[in-house]
Amino acid sequence: MNDEDGYGRFGVYSRVELERFFHLDDEDRRLIAARRRDYNRLGFTLQVVTVRHLGMFLPDPLDVPPKLVEYLAEQLGIEDPSCVKRYTDREKTRLEHAWEIQREYGLTPFADVEPELTAWIADQAWLTGEGPKAIFSGAVAWLRGRQALLPAGVTTLERMVAAGREAADQRLWQQLTSPLTPPTSGALLRLLDVPDAGKQRVNDLDRLRKGLFRTSSKGMVAALNRVADLVAVGAGSLDVSAVPPRRLLGLATHGIAGKTTLLRRMSREHRLAVLVATVLALSARATDDALELFDLVMTTELLSKAERESKDEKLRRYPRVSRNAGKLAAAVTVLLEMSEVKPDISLEMVWDLIENAVTKSELRAAVAVIDELVPADDAELNGQRLEELAGRLATVRPFLPLMMRTIEFGATADGAPVLKAMKTLADLLTTKTKLPATWLDARKVDHDLIGGGWKRLVYREGRPPETVDRAAYTLCLLEQFHRHLKHRNIFALTSLRWRDPRAQLLSGEVWEQARDAGMNALDLPVEPRPLLAEHAARLDEMYREVASRLDADTPATIDEDGKLHVAALVAVADPPSLIDLRRRVERMMPKIDLPELVLEVMSWHPGFIEAFTHVSGNEARVADLGLSVAAVLCSYAMNVGFGPVTSPGVEALTRDRLHHVDQNYVRFDTLAAANTVLVQAQAEIGLAQAWGGGLVASVDGMRFVVPVRTIHARPNPKYFGRKRGITWLNMLNDQSAGLSAQVLRGTPRDSLHTVDVVLSQQGGKVPEVIITDTGSYSDIVFGLLHLVGRQYRPELANLPDQRLWRVDPNADYGPLDRAARGRIDVEKITRHWDEMCRIAVSLHSYVVSAHEVTRMISRDGTPTPLGHAIAHFGRIFKTIHILRLADDEPYRREGHGQKNLVEGRHDLARRIFHGKKGEINRAYYEGMEDQLSALGLVLNCVVLWNTIYLDRALDQLRAQGYPVLDADVSRLSAFIRDHIGIDGHYAFHLPDLGGTHRPLRNPDNADDE
């Protein structure tokens, strides 16, 4: 009992629940036996079980369910339970019994712990900012944990919680507003003012909350000006380190998502506090947006176009190079032939013979052309790309100085010289000098950073003394700056996405405090040698087992080059019994529209709708909230907008209500909380348990085109044609439940994000095995996942090209000896073990993302020493995985089956997400994340509904004597969809099902269209 609605009241209990909660032990019976009369014994017993179950004594001790009285009387051997009515004849008896029970069971009066509870509520409200219901439940649990009596009336705790939250809010507002100077306060309040004149009467806060920019130099200037405007407000200089991050985030969420009209109605102090938190959050978001746009400009407008132009130029040059190279080849051929036939032939005769094939003037012209088109120090025209890149100074010139002035960057030792040179360059580009515009003062540039093909361009021939080429030096430096920024050797101090991951890792005293608990949770030893010896022995054993069976009739073979090949799996045909079972159960599924399905799932699990809390944290609820939430979820999941799901005559389905619920209730954290309810419910169904134990999961991506202008989409002609798009990387367990997901910009390698998706799981059992496709594979991912306690099993499409690794260089593995050509450096793992464990515990503690760590320890495919150590650790498990793929067919089939499961879910997702050609039309990352989270939630609703009704259909078939085979049941799918209505205008009306389920259809009747 930890809910206001059930406070101080008994529920309705089954016989099993009565036996579980109200059984009397020997100590209870000893105390009860001291009463002489039956009604006193029964009344005393009622007070014992009441205080034990409810945590309090009731004003009327007989206000209990009759079944409970009968059950207690049965235990006491009292034949007439109704005698208990006489228990309250004497008021003092009840009180004396209560005092005795309190003394004998060591219960503490509420008054004795009230001051301590008040302090706990204040701390909880201050640190977490949770709503009243959560703090109320926590207060009840706090009292029960300390054997303290709850107050008799629920209002006592409610007043304490309300007072604690109000005091915490006042404290929060005071801490954020007291350091403000009058100019800063005025600047913050003016953000909500609407200008009196102008074409667009939009206040500054609404303008700053929007972050859409063009992928161009003008777009970069607009993005940086947004950062500068937020910095100019002055709130960024405030020290908010004493404010709990959750409180700051809660206020900022209210300011970013809330309507400005509502913000204006707040008290001045509250309004200022919200604006401070909002500006701080927007500053980080604006910095992220600006650097995201910079990355996009560099990638698509500079690097890719330069690469493409250089390739085009190579093609344009090819005919001239080919023609003139042919003339040179003819001359050289004559020279070589004559030097072999007549070594002492004179030079004049050689020239006579050469001129029979090509004249001297033609040779001179050919040499000049080749010298022009193919510079000697720039093999294969790679310098052409740099030439094209250097020619794009006009793209970066408008924003580069502004970026270096506006965003505060930091750097590691590797990135510090580049950052310093960039700051100097920003000054050089904005300072007037006597030099011509195309040159820079060579005394003020960092010559150590100019290398490779850039030297020829930066130090052009004919330049004035003590100068370098401005365009070439700028792009040379910018290319290095961009590379260091991607790998976080250069980072933004106020950013979230482009921050320094090293600063987020557990370190110092915090790491020392978390080390033991974190490593115990991950089962990582302090001394790695025994563990590594165990892994080495297992690897050696696996090598020998597979080698011993290669000569037998196995799918694995070794070719002449020592490469390992595995024959493709042979498809297993569906047996007739499975085909008929699928047909029958699918025909038995009731027909239902998707909105009705979501409402029905909501009716089964009240925790689903309770997960949708108000953005402010207050207990603000609207009537028929579940109906509105279902409509919003379906509009998102079907990608149809609010139009088809509105019903003007229904208050909960008006457009205004849906926008209100969308803005205040539907967000990533509430969607995740609701998903947790569904995942847990799915795991409890017998049919889902027949599919799997929830310990195997797969991670795979689904692509979506984004036709609107946004910085959060990337190009990839293979998936998006001429448009740009995103990837929805999600994890699905073997019970068909979606566990977590992440929205990725474009189509990056899944291996950069797989670990993050695995560690961001929302509810359900934690999978032990992670299956992915080849795109998610890397040795570092192998190492990271095994460090955090997961087994990694990617599908490897290019298996013969995979190198096998060994620990013992002297071991003889027979036919596998040549394939095992890689050496695992155990000493390197041992040297870096403490750092590896620190990364693993930091990932496990969610203080840093695996994406940031992966970029930090691997630079353009070249790992750092720490990255090498993690990769060597991963190669142990990678090699074991490859050997099992070669030798264990059920192992391969399990991975293949899980992959098919993901494809089935994606097919269902495409069917549901049918509106607007299945394209994402949201420009903001948070909007994309919310829409696809809603799609994932609705998919889990469909899976849960299908599983429930499939389970009921199987029960009915068994009852009718139909032969249902377990092997066939395990191959049924939760992603069937023909019975679900998705197209049209949607009615949100759940019929009265009388607390049961819908009737199943007759599988032998033909479907009515």
Side-chain angles (χ1 to χ4, degrees):
M1 192 285 304
N2 56 0
D3 191 298
E4 299 102 314
D5 297 334
Y7 188 92
R9 293 201 302 272
F10 286 96
V12 178
Y13 305 101
S14 65
R15 177 70 184 193
V16 173
E17 290 170 326
L18 288 172
E19 293 171 351
R20 178 183 176 187
F21 297 122
F22 303 107
H23 179 74
L24 302 175
D25 59 24
D26 293 342
E27 179 62 22
D28 298 332
R29 293 176 181 274
R30 183 186 65 79
L31 291 173
I32 295 167
R35 320 303 126 188
R36 290 179 297 171
R37 298 179 176 85
D38 286 350
Y39 61 83
N40 276 338
R41 290 196 297 127
L42 190 51
F44 184 90
T45 306
L46 280 175
Q47 294 222 71
V48 168
V49 299
T50 296
V51 75
R52 182 180 295 158
H53 192 65
L54 300 182
M56 68 179 72
F57 295 105
L58 295 178
D60 179 5
L62 304 185
D63 187 15
V64 298
K67 285 188 176 181
L68 176 57
V69 178
E70 294 172 2
Y71 177 66
L72 295 175
E74 178 185 330
Q75 292 187 76
L76 298 175
I78 298 174
E79 296 182 358
D80 182 15
S82 64
C83 69
V84 76
K85 295 177 182 178
R86 296 180 58 189
Y87 181 66
T88 56
D89 289 349
R90 181 175 178 267
E91 178 70 15
K92 197 171 182 180
T93 301
R94 173 180 68 84
L95 298 176
E96 290 171 347
H97 286 179
W99 296 333
E100 181 181 354
I101 292 169
Q102 185 174 321
R103 182 180 66 254
E104 292 291 337
Y105 287 94
L107 302 177
T108 305
F110 175 75
D112 292 355
V113 298
E114 186 174 359
E116 190 178 353
L117 176 62
T118 301
W120 180 88
I121 290 174
D123 290 342
Q124 196 74 0
W126 168 247
L127 292 173
T128 68
E130 290 178 335
K133 188 170 184 177
I135 297 180
F136 182 95
S137 299
V140 171
W142 187 92
L143 289 168
R144 300 300 297 271
R146 286 160 179 76
Q147 292 290 300
L149 293 173
L150 274 63
V154 66
T155 55
T156 302
L157 274 185
E158 288 178 337
R159 284 195 298 268
M160 291 178 67
V161 170
R165 294 185 73 247
E166 184 177 357
D169 288 344
Q170 293 293 336
R171 178 184 175 187
L172 176 64
W173 303 343
Q174 176 69 19
Q175 287 217 11
L176 290 177
T177 58
S178 58
L180 294 175
T181 61
T184 304
S185 298
L188 286 167
L189 293 174
R190 283 194 295 274
L191 292 175
L192 300 177
D193 293 342
V194 179
D196 296 330
K199 294 182 180 180
Q200 294 184 342
R201 300 190 61 192
V202 178
N203 61 56
D204 285 341
L205 181 60
D206 283 338
R207 177 178 61 83
L208 294 173
R209 289 193 292 196
K210 296 181 179 179
L212 295 181
F213 307 102
R214 294 176 180 271
T215 310
S216 63
S217 57
K218 288 184 177 180
M220 271 298 298
V221 171
L224 292 167
N225 284 334
R226 179 188 179 210
V227 177
D229 288 345
L230 287 162
V231 171
V233 174
S237 60
L238 298 179
D239 182 9
V240 294
S241 58
V243 178
R246 287 184 62 179
R247 300 308 313 274
L248 205 60
L249 180 61
L251 277 181
T253 302
H254 197 47
I256 292 173
K259 294 181 180 179
T260 54
T261 53
L262 297 178
L263 297 179
R264 293 192 196 100
R265 295 174 193 165
M266 297 176 177
S267 66
R268 187 177 188 276
E269 189 178 36
H270 188 188
R271 185 162 67 250
L272 276 173
V274 170
L275 289 172
V276 168
T278 302
V279 168
L280 290 173
L282 283 177
S283 297
R285 181 180 293 188
T287 303
D288 284 346
D289 287 348
L291 293 178
E292 194 71 39
L293 184 57
F294 170 69
D295 179 48
L296 193 59
V297 169
M298 285 295 299
T299 303
T300 61
E301 297 299 312
L302 295 177
L303 300 176
S304 294
K305 285 187 176 181
E307 183 73 25
R308 189 163 57 250
E309 288 294 329
S310 68
K311 290 180 179 179
D312 292 344
E313 180 62 23
K314 289 177 186 178
L315 293 176
R316 286 192 294 270
R317 292 180 178 189
Y318 179 76
R320 296 176 62 196
V321 172
S322 178
R323 184 168 56 251
N324 289 280
K327 295 178 180 179
L328 294 177
V332 172
T333 299
V334 172
L335 177 62
L336 292 173
E337 288 178 351
M338 296 309 299
S339 64
E340 292 176 358
V341 175
K342 295 181 178 182
D344 55 348
I345 191 172
S346 66
L347 182 62
E348 292 80 3
M349 186 172 293
V350 171
W351 271 115
D352 288 342
L353 294 172
I354 289 176
E355 286 190 338
N356 290 333
V358 54
T359 66
K360 283 187 177 181
S361 60
E362 289 176 328
L363 281 175
R364 289 192 183 97
V367 169
V369 170
I370 295 298
D371 191 43
E372 173 194 350
L373 299 182
V374 188
D377 62 345
D378 202 2
E380 297 184 8
L381 294 177
N382 282 333
Q384 181 61 34
R385 181 186 70 85
L386 303 183
E387 188 93 40
E388 293 291 341
L389 191 58
R392 298 183 179 276
L393 177 64
T395 301
V396 303
R397 175 69 179 80
F399 69 79
L400 191 150
L402 180 60
M403 180 174 71
M404 300 311 298
R405 288 196 308 267
T406 304
I407 298 177
E408 188 176 1
F409 290 104
T412 64
D414 290 340
V418 176
L419 179 59
K420 181 180 178 181
M422 281 290 291
K423 291 179 178 179
T424 303
L425 176 63
D427 293 335
L428 291 176
L429 292 177
T430 53
T431 303
K432 293 184 178 180
T433 66
K434 295 181 180 180
L435 290 174
T438 55
W439 308 104
L440 290 175
D441 188 343
R443 294 168 298 178
K444 297 182 179 180
V445 304
D446 191 337
H447 296 273
D448 293 336
L449 299 176
I450 305 168
W454 281 113
K455 286 185 176 181
R456 181 175 61 85
L457 302 177
V458 175
Y459 304 119
R460 290 185 186 276
E461 293 183 4
R463 70 185 189 282
E466 300 296 328
T467 65
V468 294
D469 185 277
R470 182 178 69 160
Y473 179 72
T474 299
L475 271 298
C476 168
L477 209 55
L478 196 63
E479 185 181 38
Q480 295 178 66
F481 177 84
H482 178 241
R483 184 172 65 252
H484 281 296
L485 185 66
K486 286 202 305 179
H487 296 290
R488 307 303 188 266
N489 294 322
I490 295 175
F491 46 85
L493 298 180
T494 59
S495 171
L496 294 177
R497 176 170 166 76
W498 301 88
R499 63 186 180 179
D500 179 15
R502 300 160 192 82
Q504 308 304 316
L505 291 173
L506 298 172
S507 60
E509 185 177 346
V510 177
W511 164 234
E512 294 301 327
Q513 292 175 353
R515 181 201 302 264
D516 291 342
M519 292 178 67
N520 285 337
L522 297 175
D523 200 20
L524 297 173
V526 176
E527 169 53 50
R529 294 184 187 277
L531 176 67
L532 294 176
E534 181 182 330
H535 289 324
R538 181 184 170 206
L539 178 59
D540 182 80
E541 181 183 0
M542 182 66 70
Y543 263 123
R544 298 185 188 282
E545 284 184 8
V546 175
S548 67
R549 287 195 286 268
L550 279 178
D551 294 334
D553 185 16
T554 62
T557 56
I558 299 292
D559 64 15
E560 296 177 353
D561 298 325
K563 293 183 178 181
L564 180 65
H565 295 259
V566 181
L569 287 170
V570 178
V572 178
D574 292 339
S577 60
L578 174 59
I579 295 172
D580 188 63
L581 181 64
R582 281 178 179 158
R583 180 187 63 81
R584 284 183 173 275
V585 295
E586 290 180 17
R587 286 189 175 185
M588 294 172 72
M589 300 294 282
K591 288 188 176 294
I592 187 172
D593 287 339
L594 184 64
E596 221 175 297
L597 182 150
V598 174
L599 284 174
E600 188 171 350
V601 171
M602 280 185 176
S603 70
W604 294 342
H605 303 286
F608 183 103
I609 191 58
E610 290 174 1
F612 290 92
T613 56
H614 195 274
V615 67
S616 66
N618 295 320
E619 202 173 10
R621 309 290 281 186
V622 295
D624 296 324
L625 177 63
L627 192 58
S628 302
V629 168
V632 172
L633 293 178
C634 289
S635 72
Y636 278 2
M638 294 186 291
N639 202 28
V640 295
F642 286 159
V645 300
T646 55
S647 294
V650 181
E651 176 63 26
L653 296 177
T654 60
R655 186 174 291 273
D656 288 345
R657 164 66 76 82
L658 297 183
H659 279 294
H660 170 78
V661 169
D662 178 27
Q663 188 174 63
N664 293 286
Y665 291 91
V666 180
R667 56 191 184 277
F668 182 79
D669 57 331
T670 58
L671 291 165
N675 195 61
T676 300
V677 176
L678 298 183
V679 172
Q680 185 61 42
Q682 178 75 2
E684 295 171 357
I685 304 171
L687 177 56
Q689 293 167 6
W691 291 334
L695 299 179
V696 177
S698 50
V699 178
D700 198 11
M702 185 177 175
R703 321 293 180 182
F704 290 90
V705 172
V706 183
V708 298
R709 183 183 297 142
T710 175
I711 62 175
H712 301 295
R714 292 286 189 275
N716 187 323
K718 177 180 177 180
Y719 296 104
F720 312 131
R722 301 182 61 129
K723 298 178 182 178
R724 296 178 180 178
I726 59 172
T727 297
W728 187 42
L729 192 65
N730 51 84
M731 180 166 67
L732 178 75
N733 70 10
D734 54 4
Q735 295 179 332
S736 301
L739 302 180
S740 61
Q742 187 175 4
V743 176
L744 309 180
R745 298 158 175 85
T747 56
R749 277 186 61 87
D750 293 351
S751 60
L752 294 176
H753 304 272
T754 297
V755 182
D756 285 328
V757 173
V758 170
L759 293 179
S760 63
Q761 178 178 338
Q762 302 158 5
K765 291 182 180 178
V766 175
E768 297 175 355
V769 175
I770 304 299
I771 296 172
T772 69
D773 59 15
T774 305
S776 298
Y777 153 73
S778 78
D779 292 350
I780 287 178
V781 173
F782 259 109
L784 288 176
L785 278 174
H786 280 269
L787 281 170
V788 296
R790 308 297 201 280
Q791 298 176 37
Y792 184 37
R793 289 164 45 178
E795 296 276 308
L796 300 176
N798 53 342
L799 189 59
D801 296 328
Q802 297 295 332
R803 181 187 295 185
L804 298 183
W805 298 78
R806 64 168 74 201
V807 174
D808 184 357
N810 301 316
D812 182 5
Y813 295 132
L816 290 171
D817 212 47
R818 290 180 63 192
R821 58 190 183 275
R823 170 74 189 282
I824 295 170
D825 192 338
V826 175
E827 290 304 315
K828 181 173 288 187
I829 300 172
T830 304
R831 285 196 303 272
H832 292 277
W833 183 252
D834 191 63
E835 281 295 294
M836 291 166 60
C837 291
R838 188 163 74 98
I839 284 178
V841 175
S842 297
L843 292 174
H844 183 69
S845 304
Y846 310 109
V847 298
V848 68
S849 74
H851 166 257
E852 293 174 314
V853 169
T854 305
R855 283 198 175 278
M856 179 184 73
I857 62 177
S858 179
R859 302 166 186 167
D860 293 328
T862 304
T864 64
L866 175 58
H868 272 298
I870 295 175
H872 275 278
F873 185 67
R875 286 163 184 159
I876 299 173
F877 309 101
K878 167 192 169 181
T879 305
I880 292 173
H881 170 61
I882 292 175
L883 293 173
R884 287 202 65 182
L885 287 176
D887 190 52
D888 190 342
E889 183 172 324
Y891 182 85
R892 294 171 65 198
R893 288 196 181 277
E894 183 178 32
H896 191 67
Q898 187 66 23
K899 181 180 177 181
N900 290 341
L901 200 65
V902 175
E903 291 175 354
R905 185 173 192 256
H906 286 177
D907 285 343
L908 177 60
R910 293 186 189 94
R911 173 71 180 94
I912 292 176
F913 198 80
H914 67 281
K916 301 173 185 176
K917 299 185 292 185
E919 298 176 343
I920 297 282
N921 285 271
R922 291 172 173 259
Y924 298 100
Y925 180 84
E926 290 77 9
M928 299 175 187
E929 190 176 51
D930 288 348
Q931 182 166 16
L932 292 177
S933 295
L935 173 60
L937 188 61
V938 170
L939 280 170
N940 273 359
C941 285
V942 172
V943 165
L944 179 60
W945 194 94
N946 280 346
T947 307
I948 287 285
Y949 279 93
L950 283 171
D951 200 39
R952 294 185 62 240
L954 291 172
D955 288 343
Q956 182 171 309
L957 288 174
R958 291 188 184 102
Q960 294 171 352
Y962 182 88
V964 177
L965 304 179
D966 291 343
D968 294 340
V969 169
S970 65
R971 296 180 65 182
L972 294 177
S973 173
F975 303 123
I976 53 178
R977 70 207 70 165
D978 291 343
H979 57 289
I980 302 174
I982 294 176
D983 303 315
H985 189 95
Y986 308 98
F988 288 80
H989 173 69
L990 182 63
D992 185 5
L993 300 175
T996 62
H997 295 91
R998 299 167 187 270
L1000 299 170
R1001 293 186 293 155
N1002 188 334
D1004 296 321
N1005 289 345
D1007 284 342
D1008 48 339
E1009 297 296 333

